[in-house]
Amino acid sequence: NVIRYWMNKETYIEENNIYDFREFFHLEKIINIFSKTENLFKSLYDDYASKYNIKNYYFHFDNNRYCSSSATNIDDSLNIIKVSCAYPLLMHNKLYESNLSQNKVIQNLYNSLILDKGFNFNDFFLECSIRFTFFHEFRHILQFENKSNLLSENVSNGFSQERHLYEIDADLFAIRYVLDFVYDTFQELNKKDEKNFKNLSYIAIGSVITTNLLYFFKDIDDLERVENK
């Protein structure tokens, strides 16, 4: 109801800027890729909006075909986190289509983790990325609580020291929660030793770096090919 109200008022969200991946109901693979990302974003937003007493909030994919995300507070009334439709597909391609976990170097470095029952390298890498993206944007929501704002991860209008400080703060906030996830994952391993804890940390750092690079270089998706199938 909140989002419908704002769409009707044409304050911020235009209906044609919301990417509805469910239109591809005939492409089960695409539905699964987007659903996995959406479900985690929404679940995290539900949990942490409640913890921080944020009442009106919304998550959606937008139509940008390069990797981007943003956080917006509108008139002290609506808090929106959005991610480009490029992000889920790019992350999937980097991990699953390229069979990253099957790389011989990866297998040699993280062999004890990969062999641990219940641990999935690609799933862990992806979830670290999603959690980092969410908590980075969520921190922007908290930074500008009670103030209208728009902070996007892709800008080309020169350096701003103030903005840079906001971004560093958001990164530190997000990394803290990624490390919480590392610790929770470690507790579920069968073999809880120093090596596996370090390796989980290294994978998480790699995921965060990969995510930042996708945003920084505005990596482009291949959705046009998918949508024309």
Side-chain angles (χ1 to χ4, degrees):
N1 291 335
V2 172
I3 194 64
R4 189 173 297 112
Y5 167 78
W6 284 101
M7 284 170 61
N8 290 341
K9 298 288 286 186
E10 297 180 351
T11 304
Y12 175 70
I13 296 181
E14 298 177 4
E15 190 170 4
N16 61 9
N17 194 38
I18 296 179
Y19 186 83
D20 185 7
F21 64 88
R22 292 173 182 81
E23 292 179 1
F24 304 103
F25 59 88
H26 59 294
L27 297 175
E28 183 179 357
K29 178 180 175 182
I30 298 302
I31 294 294
N32 290 339
I33 291 171
F34 278 90
S35 294
K36 189 172 187 177
T37 304
E38 182 186 60
N39 289 342
L40 183 52
F41 266 101
K42 287 186 173 181
S43 174
L44 289 169
Y45 214 170
D46 286 342
D47 289 345
Y48 285 87
S50 176
K51 288 180 181 179
Y52 285 87
N53 198 32
I54 295 173
K55 300 299 183 183
N56 295 324
Y57 59 93
Y58 188 71
F59 167 81
H60 73 94
F61 295 110
D62 70 19
N63 284 306
N64 282 334
R65 297 308 173 90
Y66 56 82
C67 209
S68 66
S69 62
S70 67
T72 309
N73 178 301
I74 304 171
D75 297 338
D76 305 338
S77 300
L78 183 62
N79 299 282
I80 298 171
I81 291 176
K82 66 177 181 178
V83 174
S84 68
C85 59
Y87 173 76
L89 197 61
L90 279 166
M91 287 304 299
H92 179 86
N93 289 343
K94 300 294 182 186
L95 289 170
Y96 300 95
E97 296 297 327
S98 64
N99 291 319
L100 182 62
S101 64
Q102 301 302 312
N103 181 283
K104 289 184 178 181
V105 175
I106 295 294
Q107 289 188 329
N108 289 334
L109 285 172
Y110 304 113
N111 183 59
S112 62
L113 268 180
I114 292 172
L115 293 177
D116 197 283
K117 185 178 179 181
F119 178 78
N120 184 292
F121 180 95
N122 288 341
D123 288 348
F124 177 74
F125 194 100
L126 176 62
E127 186 156 345
C128 285
S129 174
I130 293 173
R131 285 176 178 268
F132 177 78
T133 301
F134 169 77
F135 283 110
H136 178 101
E137 300 304 339
F138 186 72
R139 181 57 178 165
H140 286 324
I141 296 292
L142 298 179
Q143 287 169 342
F144 291 93
E145 192 173 7
N146 301 321
K147 291 191 295 183
S148 295
N149 88 95
L150 167 60
L151 269 179
S152 173
E153 301 315 308
N154 282 301
V155 293
S156 56
N157 54 352
F159 178 79
S160 164
Q161 185 175 21
E162 182 181 22
R163 180 189 175 84
H164 188 59
L165 291 174
Y166 285 133
E167 295 296 344
I168 290 175
D169 178 60
D171 281 345
L172 292 175
F173 182 87
I175 288 170
R176 176 266 164 108
Y177 282 100
V178 171
L179 291 177
D180 283 351
F181 177 60
V182 168
Y183 182 77
D184 290 343
T185 303
F186 177 72
Q187 292 301 315
E188 296 175 0
L189 296 178
N190 292 313
K191 188 177 181 181
K192 301 178 182 65
D193 60 12
E194 183 179 353
K195 181 181 179 181
N196 272 350
F197 183 77
K198 285 183 177 179
N199 284 340
L200 283 173
S201 300
Y202 296 151
I203 296 168
I205 292 169
S207 175
V208 169
I209 292 173
T210 300
T211 305
N212 272 314
L213 289 174
L214 289 176
Y215 286 116
F216 183 79
F217 290 109
K218 299 185 179 181
D219 209 351
I220 305 297
D221 67 35
D222 200 11
L223 272 169
E224 185 174 354
R225 175 181 60 83
V226 172
E227 291 172 351
N228 289 332
K229 280 188 177 181

